[in-house]
Every structure is written in structure tokens, then in C-alpha cells.
Amino acid sequence: MFDETGEQYLDCINNVAHVGHCHPDVVKAALKQMELLNTNSRFLHDNIVEYARRLAATLPEKLSVCYFTNSGSEANDLALRLARQFRGHQDVITLDHAYHGHLSSLIEISPYKFRKGKDVKKAFVHVAPTPDTYRGKYREDHADPASAYAEEVKEIIEEAHNSGRKIAAFIAESMQSCGGQIIPPAGYFQKVAEYVHRAGGVFIADEVQVGFGRVGKHFWSFQMHGEDFVPDIVTMGKPMGNGHPMACVVTTKEIAEAFSSSGMEYFNTYGGNPVSSAVGLAVLNIIENEDLQGNATRVGDYLTELLNKQKAKHTLIGDIRGIGLFIGIDLVKDRQKRTPATDEAQHVIYKMKEKRVLLSADGPHRNVLKIKPPMCFTEEDAKFMVDKLDEILTVLEEAIGVQSESMISEDAPCRAKLPNEAHSEQLGDGTLDPRENPSPKRNGLCTDKHSLLSKRLKT
């Protein structure tokens, strides 16, 4: 990417520009169709039929009915409507720290949002633990974390039934992004689907951030869990149009027929319009013609290898996890206690931006550096990013060591703050309060040439 002055940046986080910013084939497809016709989706056009056919060919056979929308939020909202109409049930099971969109119906099922604000959890929403084997309730040393986490869902269902409630759906990102780049343990989704189906509910796989070949070996992230696992509803968006507003819900004929029998038809003025469909077809062609799935596997493996070498070198790195071009770097202050290094993560992001590399952080503690670049990311890009990260972590760890030693001396000109003191300067989400007055001392470090955490970048 380039700023207004022509300065070049390496984009490591833009999963919307899936096949690359301003890919000429996408631009040409959009322009060509806009010059010819764009119209209300009530008028059937060959593009939407062809795109639905191409899209369905990437999915398991039973997922064959497409509803086109303009955003992932619209798609997830529609998925909830489909699920609730199917059996007439209402309740939804969601994962802790999940985010599924900005509509009111989705904020209600997104702990990532409602636990930050004044909204309280609705009675029809049930929150299951994030299947995180690094920082969660059941970790990598557990004999069977998949079954243990799935059992939590089973207990939620039983408690709901005992209270006279009925489950409409379980919804989860196939890989949890806002939750901290979480890869569910193998077998977890299969067991959850079994419990949810037994309760009369459906399984919704949210692929809005992680679909379209990002995992490399598979086109859809849920396919990592094996052929014996097929969601009842799949939602998609973001990368679908390479930045053009385009999204979709794909489901089974059985669920679609139950929905249509309600008498309330689904119509979206722009969903699947000729231009959007042309853009979507161009994206599918590029993924195939440029072997971007293969690239995600090759570059993702190389990047993971480089990052694991950094983990061996830097004590701030607690965990490297991911698959394909979906990777998380969990920064910690203490590897044994796995204490989240929130301030350090925010500092790294800011310093990486100074070095012309765009990164961001997420997770409950905002300490996980997330990597979700455009799929054309190269090994050279990976090496450049890791080299810059290595430079920043090296200087940061040296500074932290110096400041820790300075705490021993009462005569030290600048005392490093204890964690609870530093926390008081922050808002609840870990970002700096914009109303805070400038100070000669920020985050416990002096504002001289040795100060490293003197600036903060909101991400």
C-alpha cells in the first residue's frame, strides 16, 4: 500500500483485499459490467446464476442454496433468521469473545462487543468457552481438549432445556479472529454439531474473515475438520469481493424451504447485482489462476517457521499459532504464567508502522499480533516482516531489562510502573485514553532516547 506521499507499506492485516489491493482483473471486471448494466437484483441476470454455480461447487454437496447480501453482518443476520425459522426455536449459543457483525441482532450474540459496553447478555444468548488450547480452560496438556470444550456446549444445551428454552443455532467462526487467532482443536466442531443437532438446532459456520482459501489446503476453513463435518449454514463476506461490498449465506434445501414456507420472502436490492457478481467471479478466477491457495500454504508454512525461530529467541513470544495465511503471535510477559503483554503488543504495532509494516492486535487482552495479509503475500514479504519484528523485539526486551534493573535503585531518575499502575492510564479495552494530557513519562518509561513505550497506536 502507499500513502498520499507515495510512502510504501507492507500490508499484513488486510484480509478484505483478498487477492491484492486493486487487482487489475477485479477492476476490469467491475468496470466492464458497470459500462454494460447494473440493476436491482429483482431482475435475474446471468452473472448471479453463474456465480452461485461456481460458489456452490467449492462447498459440500448439501450446501446448495445461496442468498446474496452486501456484508458479512447482513449474512449473519440472515443466517439467524434461517436457523430460527427452521425449527421455530430462538436461542443461540455463541463463543466467548466472538464477533459476528455490527447489527443489533449480531451485537447481541457477540461477547466481543456486548461485554465491552453497557449491554447485558440477553436470556436467549448462551456463551460457551473459546476452544483455546493455549490460554483457555483446557490447554494443550489436556488429554482431549476437543471433547472437554464440546462438553461445555452440551451442558449449556441441557441447562437451557431445563429452563424451558430451545436452541436454534450454534454459531462460530471456523477460526476465531477477534478472539485472538484461535484454531479449534480437531474434533471439536464435530462433537458440538452432534449435540446441537440432537437439540434440534443448526450449526452456522462464519467464514466471513477466514474463507476463500486462506487456510491454504482447503477453500473453506471448516473443511480442516474433515469431510465428516459439514455445517448447516455457511456465511461469507469480506474477501468475497476483494473490497467490493459482497456477501452470501449458503445453506441446505431443507432449511431454505422451511424459511420460504414462512411466507416472508427474502429480498435484497443490491445483493448479487450484476457488478458484484462479476467482481466475485473475477476473485474466484484469480484464486484459481494464480494458485493463491498453494501460495497460502507455502508462504504460511515459511512464515510460521520464521516466527517459531523468533519464539526461540524472544521471551516476549509465548505462542505462535495458525494455518495458511492466518497466524497469531501471542505476546506474554511471563511464559510460565502466560501473562498477556498488552502494552508491549501495542508498542510493537506502532513501531512496525514506523518501519512501514502494518500489523494489528486482538484477543481478549489485545496482546495477540494478528497476521491476515492479502493472499498474494510472498516469502520475501514474510522475511521482511519478521526481520522488522525481530529488530523491534530485540530493542524492546533490552529496554524492559534495563528498566527492571532501575527499579532496584531508589535514586533512579525514572521508576518503571507496576502493572496495576500502568493500567490506570488505559481505558477498559487496553487503548490509551485520548483525553490524557501529555506527560514527560508514559507507561513508566522516561521520554528520552531509551524510551520505547512513549507512543501508542490505536488499532
Side-chain angles (χ1 to χ4, degrees):
M1 296 181 73
F2 300 84
D3 66 15
E4 67 276 15
T5 67
E7 196 71 54
Q8 178 176 302
Y9 291 81
L10 176 63
D11 184 358
C12 301
I13 53 173
N14 203 323
N15 60 324
V16 176
H18 193 63
V19 299
H21 292 278
C22 307
H23 194 293
D25 290 358
V26 175
V27 174
K28 288 176 186 175
L31 178 60
K32 182 179 179 181
Q33 187 58 51
M34 287 179 74
E35 289 178 331
L36 185 63
L37 172 71
N38 198 25
T39 185
N40 186 315
S41 296
R42 197 176 288 280
F43 298 92
L44 191 62
H45 189 275
D46 285 348
N47 282 4
I48 191 172
V49 177
E50 175 62 12
Y51 186 75
R53 185 189 69 79
R54 288 279 302 276
L55 192 64
T58 68
L59 290 156
E61 187 176 357
K62 79 170 190 175
L63 294 169
S64 58
V65 181
C66 302
Y67 296 88
F68 290 98
T69 68
N70 306 295
S71 71
S73 290
E74 281 189 11
N76 280 331
D77 178 75
L78 177 57
L80 291 181
R81 288 175 58 193
L82 289 166
R84 285 168 169 159
Q85 177 63 32
F86 183 52
R87 301 287 190 201
H89 299 174
Q90 175 72 11
D91 289 26
V92 176
I93 301 173
T94 186
L95 293 178
D96 205 1
H97 312 302
Y99 173 67
H100 295 290
H102 62 79
L103 301 181
S104 297
S105 62
L106 303 172
I107 290 175
E108 289 176 342
I109 64 164
S110 298
Y112 180 81
K113 285 293 185 183
F114 72 64
R115 288 191 172 174
K116 286 184 177 181
K118 296 178 180 178
D119 297 324
V120 295
K121 184 175 76 66
K122 302 293 192 295
F124 61 82
V125 177
H126 310 275
V127 180
T130 301
D132 179 358
T133 56
Y134 178 70
R135 195 179 294 286
K137 186 175 181 180
Y138 308 109
R139 301 185 174 183
E140 71 278 358
D141 57 352
H142 190 280
D144 187 0
S147 295
Y149 278 116
E151 193 67 23
E152 297 274 348
V153 177
K154 181 181 179 182
E155 290 176 8
I156 285 172
I157 293 172
E158 291 171 351
E159 289 175 8
H161 286 178
N162 291 338
S163 300
R165 310 196 68 91
K166 294 183 178 180
I167 304 298
F170 172 91
I171 184 170
E173 290 181 274
S174 300
M175 300 188 294
Q176 204 171 5
S177 180
C178 291
Q181 305 293 91
I182 306 300
I183 315 296
Y188 171 70
F189 280 161
Q190 284 95 328
K191 290 179 171 63
V192 168
E194 178 187 338
Y195 299 145
V196 171
H197 288 155
R198 196 183 300 166
V202 302
F203 192 110
I204 303 172
D206 181 339
E207 294 265 341
V208 171
Q209 298 210 55
V210 297
F212 291 88
R214 180 157 294 280
V215 297
K217 294 180 181 178
H218 304 282
F219 200 83
W220 302 103
S221 296
F222 72 79
Q223 292 173 320
M224 292 189 300
H225 299 273
E227 294 182 2
D228 61 331
F229 171 67
V230 180
D232 303 291
I233 301 173
V234 177
T235 60
M236 52 195 76
K238 292 186 189 297
M240 193 171 184
N242 208 54
H244 181 87
M246 186 181 188
C248 188
V249 179
V250 186
T251 189
T252 66
K253 288 183 179 179
E254 184 183 12
I255 292 174
E257 287 170 359
F259 184 63
S260 62
S261 69
S262 69
M264 184 186 291
E265 68 169 8
Y266 177 75
F267 175 69
N268 190 308
T269 303
Y270 301 112
N273 68 74
V275 171
S276 294
S277 297
V279 166
L281 284 166
V283 170
L284 291 180
N285 289 336
I286 294 165
I287 292 172
E288 182 178 343
N289 295 339
E290 298 184 7
D291 188 26
L292 295 185
Q293 273 187 255
N295 188 68
T297 297
R298 291 186 296 272
V299 178
D301 288 349
Y302 176 67
L303 178 53
T304 300
E305 179 185 344
L306 293 180
L307 289 172
N308 277 317
K309 290 178 180 177
Q310 293 300 310
K311 178 185 174 183
K313 179 178 179 181
H314 298 289
T315 57
L316 272 172
I317 298 179
D319 189 38
I320 302 294
R321 52 181 176 266
I323 182 169
L325 288 175
F326 180 91
I327 298 171
I329 307 171
D330 199 312
L331 299 185
V332 297
K333 295 181 181 182
D334 185 305
R335 278 189 178 177
Q336 294 294 89
K337 298 178 180 178
R338 304 186 180 185
T339 313
T342 301
D343 290 343
E344 290 80 356
Q346 303 307 309
H347 167 73
V348 168
I349 291 167
Y350 192 89
K351 286 298 179 183
M352 287 291 276
K353 185 183 178 186
E354 286 184 353
K355 292 181 180 292
R356 306 296 185 259
V357 178
L358 303 180
L359 269 180
S360 187
D362 230 318
H365 309 285
R366 295 185 65 80
N367 69 303
V368 180
L369 303 179
K370 55 182 181 181
I371 302 172
K372 296 181 295 183
M375 295 277 281
C376 53
F377 206 70
T378 66
E379 290 188 356
E380 290 76 20
D381 294 331
K383 180 70 163 56
F384 180 81
M385 188 214 83
V386 173
D387 285 347
K388 298 304 177 186
L389 181 64
D390 181 23
E391 292 173 14
I392 291 167
L393 291 178
T394 298
V395 176
L396 176 58
E397 287 175 344
E398 288 175 356
I400 291 172
V402 169
Q403 293 300 323
S404 296
E405 291 170 5
S406 72
M407 291 176 66
I408 299 173
S409 172
E410 294 181 359
D411 299 324
C414 178
R415 183 180 66 86
K417 289 187 177 180
L418 296 175
N420 61 336
E421 291 177 288
H423 180 74
S424 67
E425 292 185 356
Q426 295 181 339
L427 296 173
D429 63 356
T431 56
L432 201 67
D433 189 336
R435 297 166 298 183
E436 181 184 347
N437 292 325
S439 166
K441 185 170 68 176
R442 296 287 286 275
N443 296 308
L445 299 183
C446 301
T447 52
D448 58 19
K449 64 181 181 180
H450 298 297
S451 176
L452 288 169
L453 300 182
S454 60
K455 295 181 179 178
R456 181 81 78 241
L457 173 71
K458 282 191 174 183
T459 56

